[in-house]
Every structure is written in C-alpha cells, then in structure tokens.
Amino acid sequence: MTRALLVLLCLLALSAPALSQAMQYERPVDTAPREKDIGGGYTTPEVQKPLPRGAWLLILDFALLGAALAASVWLTIYKRSRRAVVWLSLFSLVYFGFYREGCVCPVGSLQNVAVALTDPNYRIPILVTATFFLPLIVAALFGRAFCGGVCALGAIQEFVLIKPVRVPRRLDQALGLLKYAYLGAAIWFAIQPAASRDFLVCRFDPFVSIFRRTGFAHMYAIGAAFLIGGMFVGRPYCRYLCPYGGLLSWCARLAPRGVSITPGRELDCGLCNDACPYGAIEKMRADQAGCLYCARCYRSCPVDRKESGLIAIEEIRPA
Amino acid sequence: MSLRATRRATLKGISRAAALLGMSGAAAFLVRKAEGRVVWQIDTARCINSRAGEVGVKVCDLCLKECVVTQSAVRAVNEYSQCGRCNICPAYFNVTSAVSEKGVPSEKLCPRDAISRKPIGEVDPSDPANNFYEYVIDEAKCDGCGKCVMACKEPAGLGSIRLVVRHNLCVNCNSCAISTACPKDALTQLTVPESISASSRPAHSQS
Amino acid sequence: MPYRLAKTFGGKGSGRGQFPSAITGLALGARGRLLVSGGPHVQVFDSETGVPLARWPAGSPALSVAVDSSQRIFTGHEGCIEIHNAAGVLLDTWKSADRLGQVTSIAFAKDSIYAADSRNRLIRRYSPSGQWMNDIGGDNPTRGFVIPNGILTCAVDAPGVLHAANPGKHRIERYSPDGKLLSKAGKFDQLDPAGFPGCCNPTYLALDARGNLYVTEKAPPRVKALNPDGRLISVIATTDLDPLAKNCPIVVDARGRVFVADPVRLVIHVYEPTSTEKAL
C-alpha cells in the first residue's frame, strides 16, 4: 500500500556516476566477446548511468522556495494583495506540485529530520535540512507564509474552495488538535530502528498521487475526499492534519509580524471575519497560529480597498 | 502599552529567540553530519529476474507496477561488456515465435519495442548467423517490466541485462513502493558518502 | 523414446567416484573405462557398472579429457595439455599460454591432435609430437567460434573430418585438417526439436563410429542424436538433467550407449538405445 510515498528526498539524490555500480553483480563473465574478437573497429558503448537531478537544479529548487516565501510575505502583509497571492499559489502549485511532483516538500522532511537527529547512521543532505527549517524560521518572524502562496498541498486546496462554511469554533479547535497527534505519530514511527521505521506522512500524503498523475486507488480516494471536503471546509488537510502545519503554527505564535487587522484603522465592520474561511480571525484580530496567509481578509477590507482606489467610501447621511 | 502587554511581548521575544536558537542548533547539527546521501538500488543478485540459480519462474514486473513514477524509474540496462552479442538473443526475440525465412524468430520479446539490434564488426551480409550483434535498450521506451532481464539470465543467456534504478528518474521516496512490494527485498537503500560540494563537480562524460 | 536411462552414478562429494564441484569432460578408454574430468581429480569408472576404479589429482582443474589410440589420457587445462598413461602417470605437458588458453575439448585424428581453445575461440591443430600446425575456425567475420556458453567442443569422425559445435551460429561445422570449412548443419528453432534452441546451442558434441552426432543443449537441457547430415534421429533425454545444467559433456561408446554428465547435480547418466533403436 505504500505507494504513497514520498518524497522530499529528491533533494537527496545527487550522486556520482560510480553510484550505479556501487553494488556489484558478482558474476565472472569471460565468455562475452571483446572488442578484438568483434573487430571491424567496434568499440563497446558506454553503459548509460544517468545522474540524479543536477546539483544546481536542486539549489534552484531551494532558491525558488526561498523566493516564494519572500514573495508570500511581501505580497500578503505588505502589498495586501489577494490577487497576487493567488498567482503565487498558482505558480507554486504548478512548479512544486505538478512539475516537481511534490518533491520540494518540507512537510514530509520533518520525518527525515527526526530520523537524522536521532539515528547516528542516518544523514540528510544540507538542502533537506535547509528546506525543512527555512519555512519554520520565516514562520517565527512573519507567520505561516509558507502555507499561503508556497505550499503546493495548500494551493491545491485553496483553488477548490468555492463555498466555505464556518466550522463551529469548538469543533474547529478540537479537530485542530489532530495534527499534533499526527505529528507525534509521524515522529514516533520515523524514529524507530531502521528495520521497523515507517514514514506515515508519506504513506498518507493526500495529494502526491494527483501531482504525479499516478498512484493507487486509495491514494486518489484520500486526495479526492480532501478536495471535495475542501470545497466547503477551507483547507481541511492544512488545518486539521498537516503535521508540519502544527510546527508552523507553534512558530507563528512567536512571530512579531504577520497578517494583522490593524487597530486604529479598522471600521469594526467584521467583513474580514466573514471573509476568513479558516476561522483565523477571532474578536476582530488575526490568530497567527491559524492564519494561512491567503489575504482574503485584506481583499474584503473596505479600508484597504479604499486605499487601493478600488472603492470610495461615502458617508450616508440621513436624508 | 499596559504592563501586562509589555510582559507578554517580552516573553514572546524570549521564546522566539529560544526557538530560533534551537532550530539553528539542530540545523547546524544536521549540516555537520550531512555527508552522505541515500539512494535506492536494486541488488541484481537478489532480483528474481536476474538472480542465477533459478529458472522457470515467472517474470516479476513489480518494478513496473509499483513505482510511483509514471513510467517506472527502474529500467533494464544492458551491460555491454558482458553481452554475448548473440545472433539469436532471447531477450530481443520472442524465441518461441515461429522462425521467419531469415532464420530468426518472427516476433520480438519487448512489448514496447525498446531494444534495437544491429550487426557489428566485420559484417557478413549474406549470412546473419555469421555476425555479432549489439543490443541497445532505449531507456526512454523501457518501463522496467523485466521480461528481457529474465530471458537473458543464466543459463539461457549471459545475464548482461539487469534492472537498474535510474537515479535521474527516481524521486527517492522515503518508503520506496517497489521495495515494499519486492518479494526478494532486492531494493536497498545505499548511503553514498558524498557531500554536496563534491557532487557539484561537473559530471563525467555521460551518453 | 528410443533411449532409456540405464544408470546414473557419481554425485556431489569428495569421496571416490564423487565430484566436489564440476564435471567438465567425459572420454572412453579401452576395456570399458570411462574417464571423467572435473574438480581436483581425473577419475576412472567402469562404464558398465559405474564403479569407480581409479583417480589421480590433476595439476590444475581439468577442463576436458580424451583418450588416444594408444590409451594415453590427454587432459585440457588452462594454458596446457597434460598427458598421462593409463595408470595415471604423467608423461608429458604441452604448455602454451597463447594457444592453449582454455582447452575445453581434445580430439584425435590419424596424424593430428585437435585442441579446442575456448578462450581464443579457435581449434588448434597439433602434430602427435605436440608441434602446433595450424588454427581452425578463425577465418570468418566473427574471428572464431561464437561461444557465449563458454566452451568449445570438437570431435573427429572415422574419415578424419573435424566436427565442431558453433553454438552462437546454431550449427555444427565440419572442417578439413587445414581449416577449410567443408559444410555446416543445423539452424535455430526453439519449437522444433530438429533445430537448436536459445541463444547458443549445441554445447557439447560426440561422434559414434558410423558418424552419427550426439549433442547436448542448454536452457532447457536436452540430449539429441543426429545422423551424419545433422538430421534429428531422436531426442535422448530432456527431463533427467538439472534445468540449470548448461554445458553437459557427452560421449558415446561402441555399443551406442550415451554417457551424459550433469554438471549441476554432478552425476553421469547412461542412456541405452532400446531395441527399436538398434533396429534403426
């Protein structure tokens, strides 16, 4: 069943040409004709041993991750442009999702980091370490910018959300605890001895088979269920299950900056509260731990729209 | 700002500093020991399609079926230096098909026609049996079904064709689906001692 | 089936009459003595009973064995041919790293001795005194016999024509002593037992006094009798040999009994023609 998989370790895969031969098939073959037996100027062709994705491409992937994070922060909390965030999400969905097939993915990497921290024999490449920590550091400074325009798993859900319903706050909070349980389980299974190790997050990654256009029925079924549910409940995987989301929300709580409903500038109209499909605005204030950086609140905000010249506010005087 | 708010902000700042410090420490620890990378590799001596000492077993096509990459990252590779260059290659021809007027089987074995055959050396055009032949597997067509591998193995052939994980195609899943399914545990993870700086050398000449 | 399995002897082991690792050659001597090479010894059996009679250590693993008309025993090795008398006393060693790369078959004509060198894919013709005279089988586009199976075998018929298996070309070739290709017989066919199947067959061959050919094949193993023109007389055995058996030495005695070695199970099977076959 583990067709599921996962990933991340694509980053891993730089290697020398000798690699493919590292495991030798020991069999004496002296009966195959040599070049001098064959004659006619024949030369034995070199056996193809293709290299993994080139190092500079992997560095490009990481650079794009960093650039996308920076763009997410800039476009959301400085430009406050929902439209730009949508475009950024589309880029991330296409590049990190469909083109790289879910492979620049900090979500699954948390398991590899957990293993590498506990198993002296397990090593991960520097780029995997960097890919794992960069979004967390950004979250500790600016909030969950990764979840907004960068994460392909989030983006695919973002685009199916057509009719958000509000999840009762108690239920929302209770379901939100699931991701911590999942995080704990993912780490627990990952740090087992090598023979019994399991990578739960990979195994149950809901969207990777969609990104790869291949996979097994049950994987598609899980993905489809999240996408259908996600038409009405905003980003259910991100809010209730994503174990990396759990880490990000811890970091985001500490962030000095982030999406904010600015005191003093607001109209107390509550439009942002209605616009947030993720239940991340509470008492007219953004909850950094739950904010997924979608910028819908800014789009709905009459003050922002007025400042952008999109609308004019007129005072309605009683006749 | 109220005293309480100030205290809260201070606490948050301290926590943030601690978190960032902790993450930097963990990252530094991982970077210091990051000198190997892990890749998947098929042990030819275990793979049922190539392991010697077993004949009459069914071809295993799990590498084709299980791999999460659309056209499996496992491909058949002909190790030319060990290839017998036979006239009648049981991996190229379906040897059980009717013999054509040219004296060779009328059908090919590969369902995707991924193997090409050409006479090499001092070619005798009048008698095809008088020549050596080179068999090249088109990696773009191969999907790792293993048929040619099984047909080439001892004692029928020299076993020059094996299934190989193509590192340029493999996405290096944490739990390789093929390894989970493989009845012979032929897929193993290999830690290759190599640093990123070492791997960014220009590649050797690759075809 | 016109042949029946009359006896099987040998087996894996280090005792007398057993083979620890390999059987590489069979030959018949006077008084029904069957000589077997392979592993650390050359062994002598009574071909009627399968009882081991004698053995002596080989200097290096023997790759083939043959007995000449004066009952001298020739064994082929890597880089040399050793000659023993019937009692196993070493008489002579012909050494040549170049010409006797791996001697997997030895055959005798009236005035020549043929040594098949599988490393160089050629048959070397020597004088009875051990003088190299000429090579056979190299004058073609493949510069020698095509033997992906790794062994090269030959035999000489009563008129002195050299027969050699060319498994990669799926045929048996006949050569004059000076190396001229006289004729060839056989073609690839996996389905028809009259043809040679797989990548490279036949592997070993033997001749009887009437010029009939006896051949072994691999993948799957099979033993066949062919008439002097190379036409199939009968399939002698298919199921007795280990499916992994690749190169099965074969020899036939004056009574038409066929001795076939199974190099995997390390046994020797003896097939007798049934009465119907004798009528043939």
Side-chain angles (χ1 to χ4, degrees):
Chain A
M1 72 190 278
T2 318
R3 310 73 203 279
L5 25 148
L6 202 215
V7 171
L8 293 224
L9 284 193
C10 330
L11 292 178
L12 251 175
L14 305 166
S15 73
L19 199 63
S20 332
Q21 302 168 300
M23 193 175 289
Q24 272 294 344
Y25 179 25
E26 291 300 343
R27 194 171 50 83
V29 179
D30 52 5
T31 58
R34 311 281 112 195
E35 286 173 6
K36 69 172 174 53
D37 300 320
I38 295 166
Y42 175 77
T43 50
T44 305
E46 203 176 323
V47 178
Q48 279 186 302
K49 294 192 170 67
L51 291 174
R53 191 170 168 83
W56 73 269
L57 283 173
L58 298 182
I59 291 166
L60 172 72
D61 287 343
F62 178 68
L64 284 173
L65 174 68
L69 281 166
S72 179
V73 170
W74 171 251
L75 297 174
T76 306
I77 68 176
Y78 293 96
K79 295 287 287 181
R80 301 188 163 194
S81 168
R82 168 67 185 161
R83 176 192 292 261
V85 169
V86 169
W87 282 109
L88 180 62
S89 299
L90 189 63
F91 162 79
S92 297
L93 179 63
V94 170
Y95 185 83
F96 297 124
F98 288 101
Y99 171 63
R100 295 294 293 125
E101 304 194 331
C103 254
V104 186
C105 170
V107 180
S109 72
L110 73 90
Q111 306 163 106
N112 301 78
V113 168
V115 179
L117 285 172
T118 52
D119 180 346
N121 298 318
Y122 193 92
R123 298 152 199 276
I124 54 175
I126 291 168
L127 282 175
V128 171
T129 302
T131 301
F132 173 77
F133 283 110
L134 185 63
L136 291 176
I137 289 166
V138 170
L141 298 173
F142 299 99
R144 297 170 68 173
F146 174 74
C147 301
V150 186
C151 178
L153 302 175
I156 194 171
Q157 296 172 84
E158 188 71 43
F159 287 115
V160 298
L161 178 56
I162 48 172
K163 178 128 188 63
V165 297
R166 184 162 293 274
V167 181
R169 180 149 295 276
R170 286 282 172 88
L171 178 62
D172 190 48
Q173 285 174 337
L175 289 173
L177 294 177
L178 276 178
K179 60 178 177 282
Y180 298 107
Y182 192 25
L183 173 64
I187 293 174
W188 173 254
F189 281 102
I191 62 174
Q192 296 302 308
S196 49
R197 186 169 291 155
D198 199 356
F199 294 90
L200 278 196
V201 180
C202 305
R203 193 184 272 260
F204 298 109
D205 187 313
F207 304 121
V208 75
S209 49
I210 294 170
F211 293 150
R212 296 195 172 137
R213 280 87 73 205
T214 181
F216 295 88
H218 76 280
M219 292 306 303
Y220 276 118
I222 295 174
F226 273 109
L227 290 184
I228 292 168
M231 292 162 69
F232 309 105
V233 177
R235 297 175 64 161
Y237 184 73
C238 309
R239 286 158 75 192
Y240 305 134
L241 270 180
C242 179
Y244 193 64
L247 294 176
L248 286 167
S249 65
W250 281 338
C251 289
R253 278 178 227 275
L254 309 174
R257 308 243 15 186
V259 171
S260 62
I261 313 296
T262 322
R265 289 179 66 219
E266 70 213 313
L267 301 174
D268 280 340
C269 63
L271 287 173
C272 54
N273 192 43
D274 296 341
C276 181
Y278 308 128
I281 296 179
E282 199 178 356
K283 294 184 188 138
M284 300 289 176
R285 290 292 171 266
D287 165 24
Q288 297 299 343
C291 172
L292 298 179
Y293 254 66
C294 71
R296 279 190 182 83
C297 50
Y298 294 141
R299 187 184 57 183
S300 73
C301 179
V303 174
D304 270 320
R305 286 164 75 86
K306 173 172 162 277
E307 286 178 3
S308 314
L310 293 171
I311 56 169
I313 294 179
E314 287 180 22
E315 199 172 333
I316 300 172
R317 297 159 192 276
Chain B
M1 209 185 268
S2 72
L3 188 63
R4 213 167 128 209
T6 312
R7 271 203 349 234
R8 205 157 67 200
T10 310
L11 201 62
K12 194 165 141 181
I14 293 172
S15 308
R16 181 168 62 241
L20 289 172
L21 207 64
M23 286 194 279
S24 313
F29 171 77
L30 293 176
V31 166
R32 281 185 65 152
K33 73 182 248 186
E35 60 181 35
R37 63 202 64 254
V38 180
V39 294
W40 289 101
Q41 189 123 21
I42 293 178
D43 184 344
T44 308
R46 281 197 202 169
C47 168
I48 198 163
N49 293 326
S50 50
R51 65 193 226 153
E54 208 164 353
V55 297
V57 290
K58 243 185 93 200
V59 175
C60 171
D61 60 357
L62 290 176
C63 287
L64 154 66
K65 286 189 178 153
E66 300 290 323
C67 185
V68 298
V69 176
T70 311
Q71 184 183 334
S72 178
V74 172
R75 305 284 161 96
V77 170
N78 189 10
E79 183 66 49
Y80 301 108
S81 64
Q82 300 177 352
C83 174
R85 276 88 166 184
C86 304
N87 172 29
I88 309 288
C89 170
Y92 176 79
F93 291 112
N94 172 7
V95 289
T96 57
S97 62
V99 178
S100 74
E101 68 276 14
K102 289 178 188 156
V104 299
S106 49
E107 293 171 14
K108 295 175 186 173
L109 183 68
C110 180
R112 299 169 69 92
D113 197 16
I115 310 181
S116 62
R117 170 185 190 261
K118 71 158 195 249
I120 51 174
E122 296 149 12
V123 176
D124 178 351
S126 60
D127 182 1
N130 251 348
N131 299 315
F132 289 116
Y133 292 84
E134 181 175 276
Y135 295 92
V136 176
I137 300 173
D138 182 346
E139 121 138 11
K141 288 187 188 169
C142 176
D143 63 1
C145 76
K147 283 189 170 142
C148 59
V149 180
M150 179 67 91
C152 177
K153 93 164 157 185
E154 296 258 7
L158 288 181
S160 65
I161 305 181
R162 305 91 195 260
L163 289 175
V164 168
V165 176
R166 285 303 201 194
H167 297 305
N168 57 332
L169 305 174
C170 176
V171 292
N172 250 313
C173 299
N174 275 333
S175 335
C176 167
I178 306 173
S179 87
T180 312
C182 178
K184 301 292 179 191
D185 279 338
L187 276 104
T188 50
Q189 267 183 316
L190 213 65
T191 301
V192 182
E194 192 189 3
S195 65
I196 282 189
S197 55
S199 69
S200 45
R201 283 174 313 203
H204 295 131
S205 63
Q206 292 291 309
S207 46
Chain C
M1 168 124 11
Y3 281 84
R4 68 180 187 91
L5 178 61
K7 186 177 279 299
T8 298
F9 56 90
K12 188 173 168 63
S14 53
R16 285 173 67 87
Q18 292 181 315
F19 306 94
S21 55
I23 301 180
T24 57
L26 300 176
L28 285 159
R31 302 189 310 279
R33 282 154 51 99
L34 177 72
L35 290 104
V36 187
S37 62
H41 294 96
V42 175
Q43 305 206 45
V44 186
F45 292 84
D46 183 314
S47 67
E48 294 291 337
T49 62
V51 171
L53 302 175
R55 70 177 187 181
W56 59 85
S60 62
L63 307 172
S64 57
V65 62
V67 183
D68 74 359
S69 53
S70 47
Q71 297 305 308
R72 290 185 303 166
I73 295 152
F74 286 62
T75 48
H77 303 260
E78 208 171 303
C80 71
I81 290 173
E82 289 183 3
I83 305 167
H84 292 78
N85 70 12
V89 177
L90 183 64
L91 305 175
D92 197 2
T93 302
W94 299 352
K95 285 187 181 154
S96 171
D98 297 336
R99 292 211 174 96
L100 300 175
Q102 273 181 327
V103 181
T104 56
S105 183
I106 299 170
F108 304 98
K110 204 161 61 194
D111 53 358
S112 357
I113 295 167
Y114 297 100
D117 176 3
S118 70
R119 174 160 302 155
N120 298 295
R121 304 185 296 120
L122 295 171
I123 295 173
R124 318 289 191 181
R125 180 169 166 238
Y126 283 84
S127 73
S129 61
Q131 207 63 40
W132 172 79
M133 296 199 283
N134 57 285
D135 289 339
I136 295 166
D139 186 19
N140 51 49
T142 54
R143 302 178 171 198
F145 294 89
V146 181
I147 47 168
N149 52 314
I151 55 116
L152 177 58
T153 61
C154 59
V156 175
D157 68 6
V161 174
L162 177 73
H163 293 60
N166 203 341
K169 300 183 183 180
H170 294 89
R171 60 204 186 197
I172 291 160
E173 297 175 341
R174 297 184 183 86
Y175 287 93
S176 68
D178 59 356
K180 192 163 162 280
L181 179 63
L182 302 173
S183 67
K184 53 200 181 194
K187 63 180 178 58
F188 165 81
D189 201 315
Q190 189 88 13
L191 304 173
D192 181 358
F196 297 121
C199 77
C200 25
N201 274 311
T203 52
Y204 272 88
L205 64 75
L207 281 163
D208 69 10
R210 288 178 289 177
N212 290 328
L213 284 153
Y214 299 81
V215 297
T216 57
E217 296 171 350
K218 71 179 176 79
R222 183 163 65 178
V223 186
K224 298 194 302 199
L226 312 172
N227 76 6
D229 299 328
R231 286 212 195 86
L232 182 70
I233 300 174
S234 89
V235 174
I236 298 172
T238 54
T239 55
D240 306 323
L241 297 159
D242 191 283
L244 289 170
K246 185 171 172 180
N247 293 321
C248 303
I250 186 169
V251 73
V252 57
D253 74 3
R255 284 164 43 201
R257 293 187 308 160
V258 180
F259 299 79
V260 180
D262 181 332
V264 174
R265 295 180 187 162
L266 299 167
V267 295
I268 295 161
H269 298 302
V270 186
Y271 295 94
E272 280 181 354
T274 59
S275 48
T276 50
E277 164 63 10
K278 276 173 184 161
L280 260 173

